[in-house]
């Protein structure tokens, strides 16, 4: 008897309220569901998933065993080219995760919590790079760990089937997008990051590979911390020296680095804190411009035109409040690369959606398609436009990825590592 009475006592006002709530939720959903559905694959790319276990937020590639073939490096493994099917261990791969299945059973899986475990976690490998650190002719592996933790490098055992010797490069590496590039102009790459509240770079001595790297702060101690977003490099003022970028401006390299001087800051607003930042003359007007994402955990890819009156923002992909020139919208553009993707001699932009930066309920649209795009730069009559090309609609990026020719056909390919595992995207056309 109780149930029928309850149904009969539902008032018209209660029904109207329920309808209103549903309508409000629908409106909210339409406001925040901004991502553009990716088009169907056009056959220009072939995808290969190397593993579905989460080991790292980035990946790189190099000829690890000196057989003339490029290999993929992801987390504790390197995958031998050209088919990337055989994997070998670089450092201990003992991390295991309990994964609860839909039927309630619990399985143990390799790696850290990610897509496969349907739970969020973080790896101890955030950014990776490959370089011969000790000058022995064999490529070593550089791992920038979780923000605020150590940067390590692993010494290639010169073809021996054994784990690689670990070295500590820098005790504290801050920022979520550290980069490995030549800052001081000596011809060898440096670790560009933040540490102890300073922006700066760390250098290594190939003749003393067992020693920790030397830290060179270029700013006073500021509010930079482990989770600061946005960092980059390039010659902003055309003096032939690398300057350093961060979200609030660019720091001019002085004429001499003797004595470790503080660099001169030029205030600017390059978004609210994006990913990697690059300096490149986009519109070929002779003035270097800046390319970055506006917010690593939000929306928007942009280039900032350097003008006589300051910096002018040009939005390439849109935000919930402002359309970009391509008409595309996707969230969490947490990794960016610049490469000539079509052989026309002009650098293009490659980026995508970081998959589950903060899990399946964090950040805008965490479960929208995990896209990877490249944006073709076309210049005409002093202007510039970007043409979008889909690489993949179901893999995404992490905090860093690799772009380079993996199979020797002269076309750049893309290697991605994130919470869904590791992927190789081979360019066919």
């Amino acid at each position: 008897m109780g149930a029928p009475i309850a149904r009969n006592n539902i008032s018209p006002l209660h029904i109207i309220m329920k309808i209103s709530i549903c309508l409000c939720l629908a409106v909210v959903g339409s406001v925040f569901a901004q991502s553009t559905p990716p088009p169907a694959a056009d056959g220009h790319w072939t995808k290969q998933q190397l593993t579905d276990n989460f080991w790292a937020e980035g990946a790189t590639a190099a000829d690890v065993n000196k057989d003339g073939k490029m290999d993929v490096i992801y987390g504790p493994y390197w995958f031998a080219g050209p088919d990337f099917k055989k994997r070998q261990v670089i450092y201990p791969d003992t991390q295991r995760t309990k994964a609860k299945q839909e039927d309630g059973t619990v399985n143990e899986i390799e790696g850290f919590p990610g897509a496969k475990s349907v739970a969020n976690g973080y790896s101890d490998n955030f950014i990776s790079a490959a370089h011969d650190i000790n000058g022995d002719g064999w490529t070593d592996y550089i791992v920038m760990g979780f923000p605020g933790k150590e940067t390590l490098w692993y010494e290639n055992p010169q073809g021996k089937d054994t784990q690689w010797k670990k070295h500590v490069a820098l005790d504290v590496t801050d920022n979520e997008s550290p980069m490995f590039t030549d800052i001081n102009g000596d011809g060898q790459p440096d670790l560009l990051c933040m540490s102890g509240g300073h922006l700066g770079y760390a250098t290594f001595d190939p003749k003393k590979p067992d020693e920790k790297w030397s830290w060179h702060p270029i700013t006073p101690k500021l509010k930079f911390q482990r989770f600061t977003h946005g960092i980059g490099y390039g010659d902003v003022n055309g003096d032939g020296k690398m300057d350093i970028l961060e979200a609030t401006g660019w720091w001019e390299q002085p004429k001499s680095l003797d004595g470790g001087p503080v660099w001169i800051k030029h205030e600017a607003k390059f978004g609210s804190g994006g990913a990697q930042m690059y300096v490149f003359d986009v519109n070929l007007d002779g003035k270097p411009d800046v390319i970055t994402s506006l917010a690593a955990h939000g929306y928007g890819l942009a280039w900032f035109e350097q003008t006589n009156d300051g910096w002018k923002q040009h939005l390439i992909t849109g935000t919930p409040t402002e359309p970009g020139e391509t008409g595309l919208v996707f969230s969490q553009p947490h990794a960016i690369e610049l490469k000539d993707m079509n052989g026309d001699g002009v650098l293009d932009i490659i980026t995508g959606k970081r998959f589950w930066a903060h899990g399946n309920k964090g950040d805008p649209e965490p479960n929208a398609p995990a896209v990877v795009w490249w944006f073709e730069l076309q210049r005409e009559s002093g202007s510039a436009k970007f043409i979008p090309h889909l690489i993949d609609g179901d893999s995404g990026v992490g905090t860093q990825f690799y772009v380079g020719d993996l199979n020797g056909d002269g076309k750049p390919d893309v290697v991605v590592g994130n919470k869904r595992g590791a992927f190789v995207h081979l360019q066919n056309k």
Side-chain angles (χ1 to χ4, degrees), residues 64 66 134 136-138 155-160 164:
V64 171
K66 297 181 72 171
N134 57 3
D136 65 354
W138 294 78
E155 184 177 347
N156 192 319
Q158 301 184 353
K160 300 180 183 70
W164 301 22

Side-chain angles (χ1 to χ4, degrees), residues 78-378:
W78 68 274
F79 297 81
D83 60 8
F84 314 116
K85 293 180 179 179
K86 180 182 178 181
R87 78 179 190 186
Q88 293 183 258
V89 177
I90 296 175
Y91 59 80
D93 58 347
T94 56
Q95 176 68 35
R96 296 293 183 267
T97 295
K98 301 292 185 181
K100 188 174 183 179
Q101 308 302 310
E102 291 183 0
D103 62 1
T105 61
V106 177
N107 296 337
E108 186 176 77
I109 60 175
E110 294 181 350
F112 296 86
K116 197 173 179 180
S117 66
V118 199
N120 189 49
Y122 299 94
S123 78
D124 56 6
N125 186 323
F126 233 62
I127 305 281
S128 59
H131 185 76
D132 180 6
I133 298 296
N134 57 3
D136 65 354
W138 294 78
T139 301
D140 305 305
Y141 181 34
I142 301 96
V143 173
M144 292 150 250
F146 189 81
K149 301 295 185 180
E150 298 169 322
T151 287
L152 307 170
W153 73 273
Y154 292 88
E155 184 177 347
N156 192 319
Q158 301 184 353
K160 300 180 183 70
D161 186 12
T162 183
Q163 292 190 15
W164 301 22
K165 182 180 178 181
K166 181 176 74 173
H167 303 262
V168 177
L170 189 66
D171 288 323
V172 177
T173 305
D174 295 334
N175 194 285
E176 291 199 14
S177 305
M179 305 174 78
F180 197 55
T181 188
D182 184 8
I183 297 296
N184 59 8
D186 66 353
Q188 78 178 22
D190 310 307
L191 174 59
L192 172 61
C193 63
M194 295 162 180
S195 188
H198 300 270
L199 173 63
Y201 61 99
T203 58
F204 64 90
D205 185 349
K207 297 179 181 179
K208 300 176 182 177
D210 291 331
E211 293 186 358
K212 289 184 180 179
W213 298 5
S214 299
W215 173 242
H216 306 273
I218 67 136
T219 70
K221 187 170 184 178
L222 300 171
K223 294 183 179 180
F224 301 128
Q225 43 86 20
R226 63 169 61 190
F227 301 122
T228 299
H229 288 80
I231 196 169
Y233 65 95
D235 183 5
V236 178
N237 57 358
D239 65 354
K241 296 180 178 294
M242 285 295 175
D243 306 305
I244 295 180
L245 305 161
E246 40 96 0
T248 67
W250 64 279
W251 296 79
E252 180 183 348
Q253 182 172 160
K255 293 181 179 179
S256 173
L257 296 176
D258 293 343
V262 171
W263 296 18
I264 300 171
K265 185 180 183 183
H266 301 263
E267 298 286 343
K269 181 67 173 175
F270 300 123
S272 60
Q276 291 84 4
M277 307 173 70
Y278 300 93
V279 176
F280 179 62
D281 186 358
V282 173
N283 56 355
L284 209 60
D285 66 351
K287 299 186 185 68
D289 309 303
V290 171
I291 295 170
T292 190
S293 53
L294 298 183
H297 297 283
Y299 296 86
L301 172 70
W303 69 280
F304 292 83
E305 180 182 359
Q306 185 175 180
T307 72
N308 294 332
D309 299 320
W311 299 90
K312 179 181 179 182
Q313 177 183 298
H314 299 266
L315 203 56
I316 301 170
T317 65
T319 74
T321 59
E322 186 178 0
E325 66 169 84
T326 62
L328 295 178
V329 176
F330 58 87
S331 65
Q332 302 189 64
H334 209 303
I336 301 172
E337 283 284 343
L338 286 190
K339 296 287 181 180
D340 178 6
M341 296 297 287
N342 54 0
D344 65 356
V346 178
L347 294 179
D348 307 298
I349 303 174
I350 310 93
T351 188
K353 176 186 179 68
R354 181 183 173 191
F355 178 77
W356 279 17
H358 294 120
N360 59 355
K361 296 180 181 179
D363 300 318
E365 301 186 272
N367 299 306
V371 293
V372 185
W373 290 90
W374 75 274
F375 297 89
E376 177 186 356
L377 173 56
Q378 294 184 351

Side-chain angles (χ1 to χ4, degrees), residues 22-46:
C22 291
L23 288 174
C24 287
L25 290 174
V27 170
V28 170
S30 67
V31 169
F32 288 101
Q34 296 288 334
S35 289
T36 308
D42 58 9
H44 288 185
W45 294 84
T46 299

